[in-house]
Amino acid sequence: MGVWWWKLLFGALVGILLSTQPCASQKVPRYTFMHNATTAAEISHYDYIVIGGGTAGCPLAATLSKNYNVLLLERGGSPYGNPNISNLAAFGAALSDTSPTSPSQRFISQDGVINSRARVLGGGSCLNAGFYTRASPQYVREAGWDGKMVNESYEWVEKIVAFEPEVKQWQSAVRDGLVEVGIVPNNGFTYDHIHGTKVGGTIFDQHGYRHTAADLLQYANPTRITVLLDATVHRILFRVKNGTRPKAHGVVFRDSLGRRHKAYLKEGPRNEIIVSAGALGSPQLLMLSGVGPAEHLRAHNIKITLDQPSVGQGMSDNPMNAIFIPSPVPVEVSLIEVVGITDFGSYIEAASGENFAGGGGSPRDFGMFSPRIGQLSTVPPKQRTPEAIAKATELMNNLEEAAFRGGFILEKIIGPISSGHLELRSRDPNENPSVTFNYFSDPRDLERCVKGLSTVEKIIESKAFSGFRYPNMPIPMLLNMTASAPVNLLPKHTNSSLSLEQFCRDTVMTIWHYHGGCQVGKVVDGDYKVLGVDSLRVVDGSTFKDSPGTNPQATVMMLGRYMGLEISSQRLRADQTR
Ligand SMILES: Cc1cc2nc3c(=O)[nH]c(=O)nc-3n(C[C@H](O)[C@H](O)[C@H](O)COP(=O)(O)OP(=O)(O)OC[C@H]3O[C@@H](n4cnc5c(N)ncnc54)[C@H](O)[C@@H]3O)c2cc1C
Ligand SMILES: *[C@@H]1O[C@H](CO)[C@@H](O)[C@H](O)[C@H]1NC(C)=O
Ligand SMILES: *[C@@H]1O[C@H](CO)[C@@H](O)[C@H](O)[C@H]1NC(C)=O
Ligand SMILES: *[C@@H]1O[C@H](CO)[C@@H](O)[C@H](O)[C@H]1NC(C)=O
Ligand SMILES: *[C@@H]1O[C@H](CO)[C@@H](O)[C@H](O)[C@H]1NC(C)=O
Ligand SMILES: *[C@@H]1O[C@H](CO)[C@@H](O)[C@H](O)[C@H]1NC(C)=O
Ligand SMILES: *[C@@H]1O[C@H](CO)[C@@H](O)[C@H](O)[C@H]1NC(C)=O
């Protein structure tokens, strides 16, 4: 008696466990064309060489491989089989891993905000919060893109990586709160960027399994593409023929054993090198290859290919500010699902529950807002020292379970208008360049933050949200309550009144939408060709003046596909009229 019962229960449990496994192994594509750079030839030749297998680079290389021989060089490893990347609940695990082989490379801007950049095939789409949403029709128009081809490119991406999230109780309350405070209409679930409140897409499927830009390589022609991992490009090689413009014709890359390889373009007028190394990587690599501000390059003993003062200029990061609202009742674990698109240039989003961000130790974590990943809004940016981070992490680890019940409502601003610049620290491509974003240097950015935060406050006080905050707790007390808790979201004011301007500046964090450095019209032309040199383009987030949509990844992937199509058809036309 009893034994059979246990067996039955055990069997049922195993059954449940097996059936709810995300079937990760089935989702791992077998890419016969993906190799470790250590196995690469010393010298090889291609029609196209794409530098950076990130969010833009993967769809771009896949598209070009339909008709041409393509080499895709990625400095990081494969995302497949790494639960830190694949599982929604592990958000932040990769971001908190600061080892040299981590899929994320931490950097700290001169502003003092701690930030991260990707180092893995699939790029930022392997680290991000998954929210998937298109750019506005106005953004598409102003970019000069063809609207029909843009839509087709988005659809091409969405077939593989975009899903509708299952919106649970806490996210629903935020959505209803947004509508209640006037961010209307309620547009339901849509990828489109329209004023009002909506549920957007996500790259996490219904099992919480992440689909990344690397999955878009399923579209590649396996016989015409080569993807090399752990392949760090050190330099683009230029040929300068007598009196003509410098022409990119090859790259130097190193594998993980430090061995040098060279890849060249095959002879032919239309073969090209395309840089898709991201907003930090692309301007950095152009500079390392002699394309940049002459004075600055000279200071690093870099031979000048082209004096181009705009390379590294116009670097922006959209500031993010957030308020944590402890909940009297349990909440789901969610990353971003709902967004309020206001008419004053502020976007309101939210995340809830304990997203496990660390290896070992406590599973309790504030996810997107965890000191483990470098987010620390309790002290102004420049005071976010390693010691401050360590202290906050320890405090977080010692919090009671109940303290994590709740969620963050955040706002980020459109644009931004404020911008800064990027400079080399050394000639080592592995070392982060120095970057300055000048958050809120333009007063219009600050005003948008203040309006966004006052809207967040209204949502917190809305009827729809009332089930998820403690009753009888006005905002100042709410902020002050978190201030007296080990995780403190209230900045210490010299001024006892709660100035939202000061709150914006003191609690500014990143939402990792940084962009710029190789802007259209400054460094590249409308076809993303690098001005002043031949056979070289830049296609990725570094070309943006403003961040597209409420969150950029959909448009970054779209741009990779779009430019792949555009380059192929431009070439076809040119070949026909020859
Ligand atoms: C934590 C986090 C959360 C985010 N959340 C969201 C979100 O929810 N929704 C959203 O839309 N966006 C989000 N984003 C932003 C979005 O992911 C990025 O804007 C986007 O991935 C940038 O794409 P990219 O192609 O410009 O650069 P990347 O994707 O970074 O690609 C650049 C690639 O180039 C490689 N590389 C760089 N230098 C070299 C070199 N010298 N040699 C070889 N390879 C090189 C890098 O390893 C990388 O793989 C988030 C980003 C992060 C980091
Ligand atoms: C490539 O091979 C080297 C040497 O064997 C190894 O150290 C490295 O981890 C490999 N990289 C990948 C992405 O498999
Ligand atoms: C592209 O799709 C959007 C909706 O996602 C629509 O508003 C727009 O009109 C479409 N553009 C074209 C040119 O079809
Ligand atoms: C460079 O071009 C000029 C004019 O086109 C020519 O006179 C000269 O001989 C060329 N020099 C070399 C080294 O090719
Ligand atoms: C996952 O992340 C943890 C914590 O950051 C780290 O210790 C571990 O090595 C990572 N695992 C992989 C496979 O990258
Ligand atoms: C914040 O808390 C402190 C100490 O508990 C108290 O002295 C102060 O009046 C509070 N301020 C506000 C604005 O609630
Ligand atoms: C204190 O805050 C108020 C309200 O935001 C502001 O007007 C005032 O300038 C601040 N004073 C100081 C000394 O910072």
Side-chain angles (χ1 to χ4, degrees):
M1 178 58 200
V3 175
W4 65 270
W5 188 86
W6 276 109
K7 273 190 181 155
L8 200 71
L9 183 68
F10 184 69
L13 267 175
V14 169
I16 288 166
L17 280 174
L18 289 178
S19 70
T20 55
Q21 282 297 307
C23 313
S25 56
Q26 290 170 18
K27 304 235 172 65
V28 176
R30 304 259 168 254
Y31 290 149
T32 52
F33 48 78
M34 188 168 85
H35 308 284
N36 193 324
T38 51
T39 67
E42 208 180 303
I43 291 179
S44 52
H45 294 82
Y46 299 86
D47 298 328
Y48 289 96
I49 299 170
V50 178
I51 302 169
T55 313
C58 288
L60 173 65
T63 302
L64 289 171
S65 75
K66 266 292 175 268
N67 299 302
Y68 307 103
N69 291 320
V70 179
L71 173 65
L72 177 61
L73 295 167
E74 168 52 46
R75 67 181 184 146
S78 165
Y80 298 111
N82 186 343
N84 287 352
I85 289 173
S86 297
N87 299 343
L88 185 150
F91 177 85
L95 294 167
S96 63
D97 176 2
T98 53
S99 71
T101 55
S102 168
S104 86
Q105 180 178 12
R106 190 169 285 193
F107 71 95
I108 305 173
S109 65
Q110 298 306 102
D111 312 273
V113 174
I114 299 168
N115 210 320
S116 285
R117 59 193 288 228
R119 182 169 48 199
V120 58
L121 187 73
S125 69
C126 297
L127 306 175
N128 71 24
F131 197 58
Y132 182 96
T133 178
R134 295 183 179 187
S136 67
Q138 188 190 342
Y139 189 99
V140 170
R141 253 194 324 275
E142 285 171 4
W145 297 329
D146 176 77
K148 188 161 162 284
M149 211 163 97
V150 163
N151 283 359
E152 285 165 9
S153 299
Y154 276 128
E155 283 159 24
W156 181 88
V157 168
E158 284 153 15
K159 243 180 243 156
I160 303 268
V161 306
F163 302 85
E164 177 175 354
E166 191 193 323
V167 182
K168 299 201 176 132
Q169 69 275 15
W170 190 85
Q171 287 277 344
S172 300
V174 174
R175 177 198 57 207
D176 298 346
L178 276 160
V179 173
E180 188 181 320
V181 305
I183 316 301
V184 287
N186 180 353
N187 292 309
F189 167 68
T190 176
Y191 296 139
D192 290 346
H193 185 98
I194 20 183
H195 281 171
T197 294
K198 72 166 192 174
V199 173
T202 170
I203 61 173
F204 291 101
D205 66 20
Q206 64 273 26
H207 303 293
Y209 184 87
R210 181 193 293 269
H211 296 259
T212 75
D215 293 15
L216 298 172
L217 289 168
Q218 286 170 53
Y219 283 120
N221 177 347
T223 66
R224 306 200 87 165
I225 192 170
T226 301
V227 177
L228 295 179
L229 301 175
D230 278 357
T232 304
V233 176
H234 283 238
R235 204 151 43 92
I236 301 161
L237 302 169
F238 290 90
R239 195 158 53 197
V240 187
K241 275 201 187 144
N242 182 21
T244 62
R245 286 147 54 99
K247 182 184 186 308
H249 74 122
V251 302
V252 178
F253 65 95
R254 282 182 192 272
D255 63 30
S256 55
L257 301 175
R259 281 198 301 242
R260 232 164 84 103
H261 305 255
K262 284 183 181 175
Y264 290 103
L265 295 180
K266 290 181 183 172
E267 282 306 326
R270 302 191 216 293
N271 294 336
E272 287 180 310
I273 293 168
I274 304 163
V275 187
S276 299
L280 264 60
S282 290
Q284 179 183 24
L285 192 60
L286 287 188
M287 287 188 192
L288 291 176
S289 311
V291 178
E295 198 94 328
H296 178 54
L297 300 187
R298 242 176 250 125
H300 286 276
N301 278 320
I302 295 169
K303 193 173 146 247
I304 290 150
T305 307
L306 177 76
D307 178 14
Q308 211 327 352
S310 298
V311 174
Q313 295 300 311
M315 298 294 309
S316 290
D317 189 26
N318 306 67
M320 172 177 80
N321 297 79
I323 296 177
F324 180 72
I325 309 104
S327 167
V329 296
V331 302
E332 74 268 19
V333 173
S334 69
L335 292 175
I336 297 162
E337 297 174 359
V338 165
V339 60
I341 301 177
T342 69
D343 54 13
F344 49 79
S346 179
Y347 302 135
I348 293 156
E349 304 179 348
S352 66
E354 308 169 35
N355 284 289
F356 175 35
S362 168
R364 295 168 187 165
D365 204 283
F366 286 114
M368 273 182 71
F369 304 89
S370 169
R372 269 201 197 95
I373 67 170
Q375 300 285 44
L376 184 60
S377 63
T378 52
V379 292
K382 292 210 165 123
Q383 294 171 31
R384 296 174 196 171
T385 58
E387 296 73 35
I389 290 283
K391 199 173 132 209
T393 305
E394 199 192 321
L395 286 171
M396 183 176 70
N397 288 345
N398 293 333
L399 277 178
E400 278 173 44
E401 181 96 41
F404 295 92
R405 233 194 266 143
F408 292 82
I409 305 183
L410 69 91
E411 64 78 38
K412 78 157 252 201
I413 63 167
I414 194 171
I417 300 163
S418 307
S419 75
H421 63 279
L422 173 149
E423 280 173 3
L424 296 176
R425 282 206 174 93
S426 76
R427 283 189 346 215
D428 180 358
N430 300 301
E431 192 182 345
N432 283 320
S434 133
V435 50
T436 309
F437 294 121
N438 294 320
Y439 298 101
F440 301 122
S441 64
D442 190 293
R444 288 166 289 179
D445 286 343
L446 191 60
E447 192 188 324
R448 286 170 171 158
C449 176
V450 168
K451 283 187 177 161
L453 280 170
S454 8
T455 308
V456 171
E457 291 184 350
K458 285 187 202 130
I459 296 163
I460 295 170
E461 287 170 332
S462 71
K463 223 167 128 250
F465 194 73
S466 62
F468 293 98
R469 67 175 153 85
Y470 285 93
N472 310 321
M473 192 184 279
I475 298 284
M477 204 198 282
L478 173 83
L479 292 175
N480 208 28
M481 190 210 72
T482 50
S484 59
V487 171
N488 173 351
L489 294 172
L490 181 70
K492 285 166 191 63
H493 292 275
T494 45
N495 186 334
S496 64
S497 73
L498 294 168
S499 143
L500 283 182
E501 279 87 357
Q502 197 58 41
F503 188 88
C504 285
R505 290 184 191 283
D506 287 352
T507 70
V508 64
M509 290 175 278
T510 182
I511 189 166
W512 308 279
H513 297 172
Y514 54 87
H515 54 274
C518 298
Q519 285 184 5
V520 173
K522 303 266 171 60
V523 174
V524 297
D525 67 13
D527 284 326
Y528 297 84
K529 289 181 173 160
V530 176
L531 296 162
V533 301
D534 286 331
S535 308
L536 185 67
R537 301 198 207 214
V538 179
V539 175
D540 61 21
S542 71
T543 62
F544 298 147
K545 183 171 184 302
D546 296 316
S547 189
T550 62
N551 301 62
Q553 71 167 338
T555 304
V556 179
M557 288 191 250
M558 183 283 293
L559 183 63
R561 169 64 177 171
Y562 182 96
M563 284 311 297
L565 289 174
E566 187 65 21
I567 292 167
S568 303
S569 69
Q570 278 173 6
R571 180 170 184 152
L572 217 64
R573 279 198 300 273
D575 286 346
Q576 278 164 355
T577 57
R578 206 162 35 155

